[in-house]
Amino acid sequence: MTDGERKVGVFICHCGGNISDVVDVNALREFAAKQAGVVAATDFRFMCSNQGQAQLQETIKEKGLDGVVVACCTPKMYEDMFRETAKDAGMNPYLLEIANVREQCAYAHRSQPEKATEKAKALVGAQVAKVLRLRALEVKIAPIHEGVAVIGAGIAGIHAAILLGNAGHKVTLIEKSPTIGGNMARFDKTFPTMDCAMCTLSPKMNQVFNHKNVELLTYAEVTNAVRTPGKFTLTVRKKPRYVTDDCIGCNRCTERCPVSTPKSPVKVESEWNMGLDLRKAIYLPFSQALPQLWTIDADHCFYFQRNRACRMCANVCPADAIDFSMQPEEVKVEVGAVVVATGYRPFDATQVAHYGFGTYPDVYHGLQIERLLSSTGPTGGKLVKKDGTPPTSVGIIHCVGSRDEKYRPYCSRVCCMYSLKYAHLIRERTGARVYNFYMDMRANGKGYEEFYQRVASEQVGFVRGKPARVTDVATSPEEQGKLMIVVEDTLAGVTLRVPVDMVVLSTAMEPGDVDGLLASLHLDKTADGFVKEYHPKINPTDTAVKGVFVAGCAQGPKDITDTIAQAGAAAMSAATFLGSGEMTLNPLVAEVNPDLCRACDRCTDACEFDAVHIDPQGLVAVVDETSCEGCGKCTVVCPTGAITVRQFTKPQIVASIDALAPKAVAP
C-alpha cells in the first residue's frame, strides 16, 4: 500500500496529566495532523478509558481508518487492549502501533518540556511512517489443551492447585522434594497472629493430597518443556525412592539404618532441620510429610556406595517395600497452562563472613531458629546453645544479605517482621534479653505495626545500626565467653559492643535454583534472579509466555499473606486462560522469502526457541510459527535478508528511522 492510499488516525492520550503536563499535546496533535496519510488527529484525557476507546472506534468507522497510532504509555500496558478495540471496530488489529510518549518523553524529560515535545513529535512521526507500510496480518486461533501443571508444592503451589482443582481443572502438582509443604512447613509460628504454622498448612496439605482433581508428583523435577499451540508438554523426571507404595510407615528401616549412627563414618545432615542434626540414609523428612513414603538417599546409602554391603532396611522391613532396583522414570505431562511456584531459599550467610556464621557455633540463620523453636525441631522447641544451656541474651541482626549492594540490593520484605517474631518467642520461652539491630523498621502489613508495638513493650531492645562484626575476642572480663556484636548506634552516635550468648541472622530471601526450568519455559528473570512478571502492576501473575503464570516467592520476596493472595490470583488467571478454550497466536513472527534463502543454517543456529528448521527437500528455511517468539535474532544473522519478522521488515524499520532522523539511512 502506498502512502496516499492508507488512512491513518493519530490518538494522543493526556494520561491524566502524566503526559500533557510535560508534552505540549496541542502542538503534538497539530504536528500529527500534517503527516502524510493522517486523516484524523485528536487527543483525549484518558485514551484507555471507555470513552477513549469508544472515540477510537467511532473515528475508525467514521473516517474509514486502516491504520492507527496511539501516542500514550508503554505498549506493555495497553497495546493488546487497543488492538482488540480496533479489531472490534472492523480494522485489522496489526495495523495499529503505539508511540510511547510517556516513559520515553514525559517521564524521561520532565524538566525539559520543549525537548520532550520535539521527541514526542519524532516518535509519532516514526510510527505514522511505519503504519503506512504495515500489511494486514491474519489472526489465527488455536485450541487450548485441558489441564494445568503447578510447579512447586509450597504454600503458593498448594493453594493454587486447590483453587484450580476446585474449579474443575485437572491439576498436576510437581514437587522436587520427597514431600509437599515447602519452607512454611519448617516454621513454628506465623506473624503477626502467632498462629501455629503447621495448624494452618497441614489442612491444606491434606486437602491437596486427597483432591480428586490433583495428581501429585513428588521427588520429581521438570527437565524440559516443549510448547506447541495451546499446549505445553513437560518432561518430568521422577527420582527413585527405592521404597514402594507397600510401605506401612513402621519406621523400622530408619531405626536400623547404620548411617549417621555414633560409630558410622558417614554423617548426613538433615535438610529438614537445616543441618542442625543428622538423618539416616532412609528417612521420612518429618512426621507430617505427605506422601507418607520413606526415601533412600542413594548418595549416602551403604548398599549403593559400598557395593551392596548393607541391606539392613530390606531385612527389617515387614512389608517387603524396599526395592533397590528402582530406576529414574520420565513422565510426559501435557497441559494447557503452567503455574510456576518454585518459592525461595535463604541467603547463604557464610558470604557475610564478619558475622561469624559457620565460625561461631551459636550464630544461626533465620530458618535454623525456626527449627530450634519448633516442637518438631531437633531440640523439641527448646532454644538452647550448642552446649545445651539456654541463652541469657540474644542479638538479632536484620537485613543480612539484603539491602546491601555487595549481596542482594533488594528488601526481602519479611525480615523485620520475622525478627520481631523471634524476639517475642525468645523472650516468652527463655526470658533472655533480646536486642534487635536494624537499619529501618518496616512493618507495613495488616496488624504488623500493632505487632511491632507489642514486641517493643516486651522489654526487647532496639539498636538502630548495621553491626560491623560479630567476634568472640574479649576486651574486658565481662566479655569473656560471649559473642560481641560491634555496632554504631546511629541514633545515639556511639559505638557499642553488645555481649550476647547467641546471634540470629535475619537472612534475605533469594530465588531458588531454577535457571534450567526458566530457560526451558523461555521465561525471563529480573536482575535479582526472580521470575519476571509481564507487568508488575497490571499483570503481576502473567509472564511474557502466554499460558505460563507465576505465584508466590518465585516472583519476589513476600510474606505468607501476600503469597496466598498472589497464588489465588495466579490460579484465577490460569483458570480464565484455560476456560477460554482457545488462544490467539502471535502473528508477529519470522517468515522466510524462499527466493532469497540459501539454507545456510545460520538462522537455525541463532534461534533459541528451536522454531527455524531447514527443509531438506526444498533447501529452504522453514519457521514454526507456533514456537517463534518474533525476537528477530534470525534476521540479524541472515546474510541475504531472506528471513524477516512481520511488521519489522527492513522497509518498515527504515521508514521509522528516516522519520526520526531524515537522511540518516542510506537509500
Side-chain angles (χ1 to χ4, degrees):
M1 179 171 285
T2 64
D3 293 3
E5 296 174 333
R6 177 151 290 164
K7 296 178 180 179
V8 179
V10 177
F11 300 83
I12 304 165
C13 181
H14 291 217
C15 197
N18 287 316
I19 294 172
S20 57
D21 287 351
V22 180
V23 174
D24 185 339
V25 171
N26 291 330
L28 181 59
R29 185 188 65 247
E30 292 171 2
F31 168 84
K34 297 175 182 176
Q35 301 306 297
V38 174
V39 298
T42 187
D43 58 279
F44 201 77
R45 186 168 177 79
F46 289 106
M47 281 306 303
C48 57
S49 66
N50 282 338
Q51 296 90 336
Q53 293 180 71
Q55 183 180 17
L56 177 64
Q57 290 185 323
E58 289 171 7
T59 309
I60 289 174
K61 295 174 181 176
E62 180 185 342
K63 300 288 185 181
L65 301 183
D66 55 2
V68 164
V69 174
V70 182
C72 56
C73 55
T74 168
K76 288 189 72 174
M77 292 279 283
Y78 298 121
E79 184 178 62
D80 289 344
M81 183 193 74
F82 283 124
R83 282 181 169 160
E84 196 65 26
T85 300
K87 178 185 172 186
D88 291 344
M91 196 186 89
N92 187 285
Y94 297 99
L95 298 178
L96 181 148
E97 290 288 334
I98 299 290
N100 182 357
V101 297
R102 190 177 74 173
E103 283 81 357
Q104 294 183 356
C105 297
Y107 283 178
H109 310 291
R110 189 171 294 278
S111 61
Q112 299 173 299
E114 292 182 359
K115 290 186 176 179
T117 301
E118 292 305 309
K119 185 176 180 181
K121 290 178 181 177
L123 291 177
V124 169
Q127 292 300 64
V128 169
K130 181 180 178 184
V131 166
L132 289 172
R133 289 160 179 79
L134 295 180
R135 61 186 171 95
L137 300 180
E138 181 184 359
V139 179
K140 296 181 179 178
I141 303 295
I144 297 176
H145 196 281
E146 65 176 8
V148 53
V150 179
I151 304 175
I155 183 60
I158 289 173
H159 187 64
I162 290 172
L163 294 181
L164 286 162
N166 289 346
H169 297 287
K170 294 295 182 184
V171 183
T172 305
L173 180 58
I174 304 166
E175 168 58 42
K176 68 178 181 181
S177 304
T179 176
I180 61 175
N183 280 320
M184 186 177 172
R186 293 188 170 97
F187 295 175
D188 180 47
K189 305 287 186 184
T190 57
F191 60 79
T193 54
M194 305 307 288
D195 295 316
C196 165
M198 279 307 293
C199 296
T200 307
L201 176 64
S202 187
K204 281 188 169 290
M205 290 172 59
N206 287 315
Q207 186 180 358
V208 79
F209 183 75
N210 294 304
H211 203 296
K212 66 178 182 181
N213 286 335
V214 179
E215 180 188 10
L216 191 59
L217 299 178
T218 55
Y219 213 35
E221 291 187 81
V222 177
T223 58
N224 193 28
V226 176
R227 183 161 57 108
T228 50
K231 184 172 77 174
F232 295 89
T233 302
L234 307 181
T235 302
V236 181
R237 184 177 185 272
K238 293 179 65 177
K239 290 174 279 189
R241 290 177 183 268
Y242 305 107
V243 180
T244 69
D245 293 344
D246 295 330
C247 174
I248 59 174
C250 66
N251 203 41
R252 294 180 192 175
C253 53
T254 300
E255 293 171 352
R256 299 295 298 275
C257 177
V259 172
S260 295
T261 57
K263 294 182 180 179
S264 171
V266 178
K267 314 288 186 185
V268 185
E269 291 185 346
S270 166
E271 301 89 349
W272 170 248
N273 283 326
M274 305 307 295
L276 294 174
D277 65 355
L278 304 176
R279 66 160 170 81
K280 298 296 186 67
I282 183 167
Y283 66 103
L284 185 72
F286 59 101
S287 59
Q288 293 159 287
L290 286 176
Q292 285 273 304
L293 287 176
W294 269 244
T295 301
I296 291 179
D297 173 5
D299 291 338
H300 297 97
C301 173
F302 290 166
Y303 176 88
F304 293 99
Q305 299 302 319
R306 298 190 176 183
N307 195 25
R308 305 180 181 183
C310 175
R311 299 179 60 92
M312 182 61 73
C313 53
N315 293 337
V316 301
C317 179
D320 196 22
I322 307 299
D323 181 359
F324 293 116
S325 67
M326 280 186 171
Q327 297 294 320
E329 180 184 356
E330 277 197 353
V331 178
K332 298 291 186 184
V333 177
E334 295 182 342
V335 293
V338 176
V339 177
V340 178
T342 46
Y344 76 97
R345 63 183 176 188
F347 171 77
D348 179 8
T350 59
Q351 296 183 54
V352 191
H354 51 276
Y355 286 161
F357 182 79
T359 301
Y360 304 125
D362 286 313
V363 178
Y364 299 91
H365 65 68
L367 276 183
Q368 289 181 321
I369 291 298
E370 293 282 1
R371 298 311 302 146
L372 287 175
L373 290 169
S374 173
S375 60
T376 62
T379 60
K382 295 180 179 178
L383 186 70
V384 293
K385 300 188 295 181
K386 287 290 184 182
D387 63 8
T389 61
T392 60
S393 54
V394 178
I396 302 174
I397 301 177
H398 297 210
C399 298
V400 176
S402 58
R403 301 181 65 196
D404 191 326
E405 292 296 333
K406 291 182 181 176
Y407 308 108
R408 301 285 181 265
Y410 54 83
C411 171
S412 283
R413 300 182 60 195
V414 296
C415 306
C416 287
M417 294 309 299
Y418 78 65
S419 297
L420 293 174
K421 179 183 74 173
Y422 296 157
H424 169 80
L425 292 174
I426 293 169
R427 285 287 297 162
E428 181 182 69
R429 298 184 185 181
T430 69
R433 296 187 304 277
V434 180
Y435 305 94
N436 277 270
F437 299 89
Y438 69 101
M439 291 196 291
D440 301 291
M441 189 58 68
R442 297 182 173 182
N444 59 356
K446 185 176 183 179
Y448 289 8
E449 178 63 22
E450 292 84 348
F451 184 68
Y452 170 36
Q453 297 301 331
R454 173 186 174 184
V455 174
S457 70
E458 295 173 342
Q459 297 181 319
V460 171
F462 290 88
V463 178
R464 188 175 187 276
K466 189 172 184 176
R469 64 184 183 278
V470 175
T471 178
D472 63 351
V473 177
T475 59
S476 67
E478 293 77 20
E479 294 181 356
Q480 292 291 338
K482 297 285 188 179
L483 291 170
M484 304 305 302
I485 299 178
V486 183
V487 59
E488 180 187 3
D489 185 334
T490 58
L491 296 179
V494 297
T495 299
L496 304 175
R497 290 174 61 87
V498 181
V500 295
D501 293 329
M502 180 182 288
V503 174
V504 180
L505 304 179
S506 297
T507 47
M509 303 168 96
E510 61 180 20
D513 183 16
V514 292
D515 284 357
L517 172 66
L518 302 189
S520 183
L521 289 168
H522 300 298
L523 295 179
D524 293 330
K525 297 187 298 181
T526 63
D528 302 325
F530 294 99
V531 177
K532 187 175 183 180
E533 65 290 296
Y534 186 75
H535 192 282
K537 292 186 179 67
I538 60 174
N539 300 100
T541 60
D542 291 13
T543 68
V545 179
K546 278 191 175 180
V548 180
F549 306 90
V550 60
C553 292
Q555 186 223 9
K558 51 181 64 70
D559 60 21
I560 293 172
T561 304
D562 287 352
T563 295
I564 289 284
Q566 199 202 23
M572 175 59 78
S573 298
T576 302
F577 177 78
L578 291 168
S580 66
E582 60 183 27
M583 61 183 290
T584 302
L585 301 182
N586 177 23
L588 305 180
V589 296
E591 61 181 0
V592 177
N593 181 344
D595 294 336
L596 297 178
C597 180
R598 298 176 183 171
C600 66
D601 232 10
R602 295 183 188 180
C603 51
T604 62
D605 292 339
C607 183
E608 295 180 4
F609 304 98
D610 199 26
V612 189
H613 305 279
I614 300 298
D615 177 4
Q617 302 298 323
L619 289 179
V620 65
V622 178
V623 177
D624 178 358
E625 294 188 15
T626 62
S627 299
C628 179
E629 289 290 327
C631 68
K633 287 186 178 178
C634 54
T635 68
V636 177
V637 299
C638 180
T640 64
I643 189 165
T644 58
V645 175
R646 292 173 185 153
Q647 311 301 52
F648 292 93
T649 62
K650 185 176 179 180
Q652 293 161 351
I653 294 173
V654 168
S656 295
I657 295 175
D658 209 23
L660 286 167
K663 301 181 181 178
V665 180

